[in-house]
mmCIF file of all heavy atoms in Angstrom:
data_model
loop_
_atom_site.group_PDB
_atom_site.id
_atom_site.type_symbol
_atom_site.label_atom_id
_atom_site.label_comp_id
_atom_site.label_asym_id
_atom_site.label_seq_id
_atom_site.Cartn_x
_atom_site.Cartn_y
_atom_site.Cartn_z
ATOM 1 N N PHE A 32 -114.709 -104.560 44.411
ATOM 2 C CA PHE A 32 -114.771 -104.095 45.792
ATOM 3 C C PHE A 32 -113.392 -104.032 46.454
ATOM 4 O O PHE A 32 -113.181 -103.238 47.359
ATOM 5 C CB PHE A 32 -115.750 -104.945 46.593
ATOM 6 C CG PHE A 32 -117.173 -104.679 46.221
ATOM 7 C CD1 PHE A 32 -118.018 -105.675 45.785
ATOM 8 C CD2 PHE A 32 -117.680 -103.382 46.300
ATOM 9 C CE1 PHE A 32 -119.340 -105.408 45.455
ATOM 10 C CE2 PHE A 32 -118.997 -103.098 45.958
ATOM 11 C CZ PHE A 32 -119.827 -104.112 45.528
ATOM 12 N N ALA A 33 -112.466 -104.866 45.996
ATOM 13 C CA ALA A 33 -111.128 -104.825 46.567
ATOM 14 C C ALA A 33 -110.489 -103.464 46.328
ATOM 15 O O ALA A 33 -109.853 -102.881 47.202
ATOM 16 C CB ALA A 33 -110.275 -105.938 45.948
ATOM 17 N N GLU A 34 -110.715 -102.944 45.131
ATOM 18 C CA GLU A 34 -110.203 -101.622 44.777
ATOM 19 C C GLU A 34 -110.844 -100.548 45.651
ATOM 20 O O GLU A 34 -110.166 -99.650 46.162
ATOM 21 C CB GLU A 34 -110.502 -101.370 43.279
ATOM 22 C CG GLU A 34 -109.999 -100.071 42.730
ATOM 23 C CD GLU A 34 -108.478 -100.004 42.677
ATOM 24 O OE1 GLU A 34 -107.795 -101.062 42.740
ATOM 25 O OE2 GLU A 34 -107.980 -98.889 42.598
ATOM 26 N N ILE A 35 -112.151 -100.677 45.797
ATOM 27 C CA ILE A 35 -112.885 -99.704 46.633
ATOM 28 C C ILE A 35 -112.400 -99.744 48.077
ATOM 29 O O ILE A 35 -112.205 -98.708 48.697
ATOM 30 C CB ILE A 35 -114.409 -99.982 46.532
ATOM 31 C CG1 ILE A 35 -114.900 -99.582 45.135
ATOM 32 C CG2 ILE A 35 -115.182 -99.218 47.610
ATOM 33 C CD1 ILE A 35 -116.323 -99.903 44.843
ATOM 34 N N ARG A 36 -112.150 -100.931 48.568
ATOM 35 C CA ARG A 36 -111.634 -101.058 49.941
ATOM 36 C C ARG A 36 -110.340 -100.273 50.104
ATOM 37 O O ARG A 36 -110.132 -99.579 51.089
ATOM 38 C CB ARG A 36 -111.361 -102.530 50.283
ATOM 39 C CG ARG A 36 -112.635 -103.261 50.634
ATOM 40 C CD ARG A 36 -112.385 -104.720 50.921
ATOM 41 N NE ARG A 36 -113.640 -105.376 51.164
ATOM 42 C CZ ARG A 36 -113.876 -106.174 52.198
ATOM 43 N NH1 ARG A 36 -112.925 -106.445 53.062
ATOM 44 N NH2 ARG A 36 -115.058 -106.716 52.358
ATOM 45 N N LYS A 37 -109.480 -100.404 49.106
ATOM 46 C CA LYS A 37 -108.205 -99.695 49.164
ATOM 47 C C LYS A 37 -108.411 -98.182 49.165
ATOM 48 O O LYS A 37 -107.790 -97.454 49.924
ATOM 49 C CB LYS A 37 -107.362 -100.082 47.929
ATOM 50 C CG LYS A 37 -106.216 -101.027 48.267
ATOM 51 C CD LYS A 37 -105.648 -101.608 47.026
ATOM 52 C CE LYS A 37 -104.363 -100.964 46.564
ATOM 53 N NZ LYS A 37 -103.883 -101.641 45.346
ATOM 54 N N GLU A 38 -109.317 -97.750 48.306
ATOM 55 C CA GLU A 38 -109.608 -96.317 48.223
ATOM 56 C C GLU A 38 -110.199 -95.778 49.517
ATOM 57 O O GLU A 38 -109.821 -94.704 49.999
ATOM 58 C CB GLU A 38 -110.602 -96.037 47.077
ATOM 59 C CG GLU A 38 -110.008 -96.230 45.696
ATOM 60 C CD GLU A 38 -111.074 -96.080 44.613
ATOM 61 O OE1 GLU A 38 -112.246 -95.837 44.930
ATOM 62 O OE2 GLU A 38 -110.705 -96.226 43.437
ATOM 63 N N VAL A 39 -111.137 -96.551 50.073
ATOM 64 C CA VAL A 39 -111.786 -96.122 51.322
ATOM 65 C C VAL A 39 -110.753 -96.042 52.449
ATOM 66 O O VAL A 39 -110.737 -95.093 53.245
ATOM 67 C CB VAL A 39 -112.946 -97.078 51.700
ATOM 68 C CG1 VAL A 39 -113.444 -96.795 53.107
ATOM 69 C CG2 VAL A 39 -114.088 -96.945 50.710
ATOM 70 N N LYS A 40 -109.868 -96.986 52.476
ATOM 71 C CA LYS A 40 -108.835 -96.986 53.512
ATOM 72 C C LYS A 40 -107.947 -95.744 53.379
ATOM 73 O O LYS A 40 -107.646 -95.085 54.373
ATOM 74 C CB LYS A 40 -107.986 -98.256 53.394
ATOM 75 C CG LYS A 40 -107.043 -98.443 54.560
ATOM 76 C CD LYS A 40 -106.386 -99.810 54.484
ATOM 77 C CE LYS A 40 -105.706 -100.113 55.788
ATOM 78 N NZ LYS A 40 -105.289 -101.521 55.884
ATOM 79 N N ALA A 41 -107.584 -95.433 52.149
ATOM 80 C CA ALA A 41 -106.745 -94.260 51.902
ATOM 81 C C ALA A 41 -107.481 -92.984 52.340
ATOM 82 O O ALA A 41 -106.900 -92.081 52.941
ATOM 83 C CB ALA A 41 -106.374 -94.173 50.423
ATOM 84 N N LEU A 42 -108.773 -92.969 52.047
ATOM 85 C CA LEU A 42 -109.598 -91.793 52.394
ATOM 86 C C LEU A 42 -109.684 -91.625 53.936
ATOM 87 O O LEU A 42 -109.506 -90.535 54.458
ATOM 88 C CB LEU A 42 -110.975 -92.044 51.787
ATOM 89 C CG LEU A 42 -111.997 -90.954 51.690
ATOM 90 C CD1 LEU A 42 -112.772 -91.105 50.394
ATOM 91 C CD2 LEU A 42 -112.962 -91.016 52.840
ATOM 92 N N VAL A 43 -109.945 -92.729 54.598
ATOM 93 C CA VAL A 43 -110.041 -92.690 56.070
ATOM 94 C C VAL A 43 -108.687 -92.303 56.660
ATOM 95 O O VAL A 43 -108.607 -91.505 57.607
ATOM 96 C CB VAL A 43 -110.522 -94.060 56.620
ATOM 97 C CG1 VAL A 43 -110.397 -94.093 58.140
ATOM 98 C CG2 VAL A 43 -111.968 -94.320 56.207
#
Side-chain angles (χ1 to χ4, degrees):
Chain A
F32 288 123
E34 182 67 18
I35 289 174
R36 281 177 184 229
K37 255 166 100 179
E38 289 174 1
V39 169
K40 190 172 193 168
L42 193 144
V43 171

